[in-house]
Amino acid sequence: EEATQYHLLPATMTKHTSILCTILLFISSSLAVNWNNITSDELANLPSSNFNSITTAQLASIPPESCSGFNNYQIQVVPAASIAGFSADQFSNLSSSACSGFTSSQLPNLATTAASVISSGCIYYIASASFSGFTAAQIAVLSTDAVAAISASQLGRISGPAAAGFTSNFIASMDYCTAYTSQQIPYIPASSFAAFTSSCFQYLPNAVLQQISGPQLQNVVPEAIAELTSTQIAYFSANASTGWTSTLTSAMNGYACAGFTATQFPNIPVAAFPGFTSSCLGNLNRYALGAISTAQLNAISASSTSGFISTVIAYIAPASSAGWTAAQVGNLDQYACAGFTSAQFPYIPAAAFTNFSSDCVTNFANSACSGITAAQISAMPATSTSGFLSTQINYITPSSSSGWTVAGTSGLNEYACAGFTSTQFPYIPADAFSGFSSDCFTQMSYSAFQGLQAPQLSQISVDSVDGLLSTQIAKIPSAASAGWTTALTANLNEYACAGFTSSQFPSIPASAFSGFTSSCFVQMAYSAFQGLQASQLNSINSSNIDGLISSQISNIPAASSIGWTSNLIAGLSEYSCAGFTSSQFAYIPPTAFSGFSSACFTQISSAAFSGINATQISSISPAAASGILSSQVSYIPSTANAGWSTTLLNSLNEYACGGFKASQIYYIPASAFSGITDSCMTQIPSSAFTGLQANQLSQITGGAQGLLASQVQNIPPTSMQGWTNAIWANVTYACQGITVQQIYYIPASTFSSVTSSCLNSFSYTTCANISSDQVKPLTDSAITGIGAYCVAELPLLTLGNFTLDQLSYFGYSAAGLGSTQLAYLVDLYGVQFVNLYQMRYLTGSSRTAVMRFKSMVVASTVKPLLTEPATFLGLSWLQFAMFIPPTTLTASDYATQFFTNINVSTCLGIRSDQAVRIPAAAFQYLTSLQAGYILPDTASVLTADQLNAIPVVDKVFGGFTGPTLNAINPSVWPSLSPNLISSLPSTRYSQLNCTIIEGMTTAQVDAIPSSVKTYYNTAKSRCESGATGQTAGSSGSTGQSISSSSSSFTNTVTNGNTLTNTASSSSSSSSRTVTNTHTVTSSSSTSGGGLSKPAKIAISVVVPVAVVVSALVAFLIVRHRRAAGYTPISN
């Protein structure tokens, strides 16, 4: 039926038939054994075939004690199902060797009661392969000894489901932990894992560990966990990680923690994290920690965070960083902090930042700091912020910088402050700036200050502001400079002040300027002061103003100079004053000028004074005025000079007065002139006096002593109306500066105070214009000062206003009277005037004037008034010249002793009509001195006898002057003795005219001494060359030169009315002719004076032209003077 059903082949059918027959045979044979009564021996002798068909019941019926007879072959063939018949008693009697017969198919049917009595020996003999047949229930009841007897190979054969029987006792008794299989682990009860010993658990294969579940792991004892390695930890499944407890994690070997993986970490219960030790955390795999959650991180014990390392922290997920607590970060190793990232920082609670150590902060990665938030910075105490580095601060975002607090900034390390940037500064709260230290400010980059704001600046501590550098201050925005306060500026480091700029200055509160110190001002850039405001300048402390330097002051805007006060200016260093400019001066309040010192004024540039005004000048203190320089005075605007006062001018340094100009003098108040000192007056430029007015001049008193002639001559003529008695009384040499135009305007009444020295210094042109009213008040002592040159220039009407008493005080100056003046005075006062002057006073009279006067007497133009006395001694030449010509006396009346009885200078007065009456014998007593006073008009009438009587020994003849010798009649010369000629000195030959030279006889020429002959030859050569008549040298003290022939001299004096007429028309021109060496040249009518033809032609052309030109010039001068209003008769 089966064959049919399964379509079996015959061969197959044969096989099945054979198997069936065998089974039937086994059953029949088994039925044949009496199992109930079998003994152990009997049992031992039974063939294995007897057991092939043994049933459960049969097996169960075998007496327990008989079971000791079983052998392994018999057991081996017992049907698997029949094994269930074994009872505990039976099994306990089995020999150990018999157990080797158990097969894996049989064991599953073994009753648990039987299994519970399996001996260790039995276990030993059970084949390893057979262990796969054990069930969980059987395993669970194995005795401790039995379990202990299980070998590694046997353990490894236990099936996974059977492992469910692994009890705590089983695991505790098992020595071969390495034999556990991954198939068994899932079945092992979680509670049994508590039995794993440390010595066992550590040897569990990795594959086994990989199968451990969370509940199983949770039951592992800490001691067992402590022995695990990182490799083993790594094999735990993610699911197993849920079994971690704080007890387990705390027991872990630190190095083992390196085995945690990223897949495990998320499953580790939060409650387990408090158990993580520092050493464990220190060995965590960075990837594993990267999977940590916020709650897990938060659960880590603060005492353990010290184990974190930077590379691990760096892998914590940003969002998980929210789990950090203050206690945790406070315990971090400083170097671990280097692991924080910019992505993590924003998630870390601000509260955590309250506990970062300074060392930890120091190790923050620079880039990480870009993630710090404002709230976090705000939470950081000084003890934390002290750890910041400059590079870290540099990374903090601008918006986060708003978290800085006073505590935070006060804790900063000075060098860290170098990290602040200009983009951060605007966000930093103002009050936080009060926490910055001095050293901190010093380290800040100057560019950072570009972001500073006024409220922030105002909050800087006075104890810290001295840390600011000049380069930093220079970068502070102009608007931010409004934050400066008095307390801040007062405490600045002096060198920092160099940073202020002109754009900042206008924004600085005026009150803050009161805090700047002098040493601070010194350092400021001069260009900064271009932004200074008046109110700021006004607020500077006068005790600190001495710090300003000249270059700074020069840059102060002109309009701002209105802020100067007297106290400020008084406090300036003298050298700083050099900075004032003209545009500034115009704005400085007048009251401030009272603060200038003399030393300050001395340093101010001259040009600056071009901006000063009258009110300002009037406010200058007398002491300060002494420091003003001449160059400064010269720049003072004309109208500003109205500010000068008596006291100020009196205080001026004498040399300062040298700066006044005419346009300035004009505006000086008249009353102020009384303050000018003589030394000051001397220094005033002469040109400045052209601006002097009469009312100003009238106020000059003691200062007149300093007047110079050059100054006086520049005073406008009409201003001379202000000339006063006081001026006359004090001037000295200045009088010589009084001009023709000026003298006319000087009030006549003031001449009562003229001094002799003043009159003595009058120029001859001034003398020529003294009016008759002006001489009336002259005192006798003053008249003694009139010089001869001045007397010579006095107009006749003016001269006529002198009384005889006044004239008597002319003294020696009377010698200056010209012929016309003498004639006028003789006519006016008669004999009283002739006898007025002693001989010595007239000794110096002009030779020309004397000759002219004598010619007037000879010509009866002047009437002789005196009768010849018995003796001539003591007579003046004027008295001698005024003798009435005798009509009855003869030449013999002139005694032979004539020259013995006449004084030397009296010889000047010998008229020609008197000379002819002198006996020839009288000439033997003529002295060389007397010969020098005999004038040409007298010599022209001398005879050869008179001349030859002159003594040769004393060379008296040589005493005659050149003009006198030339006046001797040429016809007389050949008759002169050779000896007389030999007495002529060498100098006379150059003075003799050619008529005389060429007319000398051979005997006369031969008599000339050899030492003198050369001079004669030179003179002769000159005459032979056709040169004109030689002009004579000076005669006496007059400087008069006359050259004429004896035949023409009389014509020159008597008929040549040019000299006489000139003298008659103007004493002034007469005097000038005398003084300027008028030369009269007359040629012989027969010889032509030795002139060549070309010379004669030249004279005939040049002289007329010169005369015409001179006349035209004279006409123009007279016309000009009359147009100017000068009307004195002298004009």
Side-chain angles (χ1 to χ4, degrees), residues 919-933:
F923 279 87
Q924 65 181 305
Y925 298 105
L926 180 70
T927 66
S928 60
L929 290 177
Q930 290 174 326
Y933 279 85

Side-chain angles (χ1 to χ4, degrees), residues 692-831:
L692 190 66
Q693 301 174 74
N695 63 334
Q696 296 170 323
L697 180 60
S698 68
Q699 296 299 312
I700 297 176
T701 53
Q705 294 180 13
L707 279 173
L708 302 177
S710 59
Q711 297 169 331
V712 171
Q713 71 183 12
N714 278 298
I715 298 175
T718 55
S719 294
M720 295 298 282
Q721 297 176 74
W723 198 274
T724 64
N725 295 74
I727 296 177
W728 281 126
N730 286 287
V731 294
T732 51
Y733 302 105
C735 295
Q736 63 184 310
I738 298 175
T739 65
V740 175
Q741 297 87 345
Q742 293 170 332
I743 194 70
Y744 174 78
Y745 288 96
I746 298 178
S749 60
T750 65
F751 274 75
S752 62
S753 298
V754 176
T755 62
S756 59
S757 59
C758 182
L759 280 179
N760 187 256
S761 64
F762 272 10
S763 66
Y764 68 86
T765 55
T766 301
C767 292
N769 286 275
I770 297 176
S771 70
S772 57
D773 291 335
Q774 291 170 329
V775 300
K776 287 180 181 180
L778 290 176
T779 63
D780 295 341
S781 61
I783 294 174
T784 60
I786 297 179
Y789 73 91
C790 184
V791 170
E793 297 297 326
L794 292 173
L796 296 182
L797 290 180
T798 300
L799 193 61
N801 243 3
F802 281 104
T803 64
L804 273 175
D805 184 58
Q806 288 178 313
L807 290 173
S808 68
Y809 284 95
F810 277 6
Y812 288 103
S813 295
L817 291 168
S819 59
T820 305
Q821 294 171 315
L822 288 168
Y824 177 78
L825 291 173
V826 168
D827 181 62
L828 184 62
Y829 292 111
V831 175

Side-chain angles (χ1 to χ4, degrees), residues 259-282:
F260 282 114
T261 66
T263 57
Q264 296 170 344
F265 242 58
N267 292 296
I268 298 175
V270 171
F273 276 81
F276 280 115
T277 63
S278 60
S279 60
C280 176
L281 293 177

Side-chain angles (χ1 to χ4, degrees), residues 364-417:
F364 283 167
N366 296 334
S367 59
C369 292
S370 64
I372 294 178
T373 66
Q376 293 168 338
I377 292 178
S378 180
M380 295 179 77
T383 53
S384 296
T385 58
S386 63
F388 271 120
L389 302 178
S390 62
T391 49
Q392 297 169 332
I393 288 180
N394 191 261
Y395 270 86
I396 295 175
T397 64
S399 59
S400 294
S401 296
S402 63
W404 284 106
T405 63
V406 176
T409 55
S410 65
L412 285 171
N413 175 282
E414 59 186 280
Y415 301 106
C417 298

Side-chain angles (χ1 to χ4, degrees), residues 80 168 200 292 407 436 481 515 589 606 637 692 756 797 840 956 1000:
S168 297
C200 175
I292 197 170
F436 285 121
S481 296
S606 302
L692 190 66
S756 59
L797 290 180
R840 69 178 186 274
V956 175
M1000 292 179 67

Side-chain angles (χ1 to χ4, degrees), residues 320-334:
S320 298
S321 297
W324 284 107
T325 66
Q328 291 173 333
V329 298
N331 205 39
L332 284 172
D333 178 80
Q334 59 177 320

Side-chain angles (χ1 to χ4, degrees), residues 44-86:
N45 291 309
L46 286 176
S48 299
S49 59
N50 286 68
F51 292 90
N52 288 337
S53 59
I54 193 169
T55 64
T56 302
Q58 291 174 337
L59 183 62
S61 64
I62 296 175
E65 61 274 9
S66 299
C67 287
S68 61
F70 270 114
N71 63 51
N72 60 316
Y73 299 109
Q74 298 168 335
I75 295 296
Q76 185 176 12
V77 296
V78 174
S82 297
I83 291 297
F86 271 122

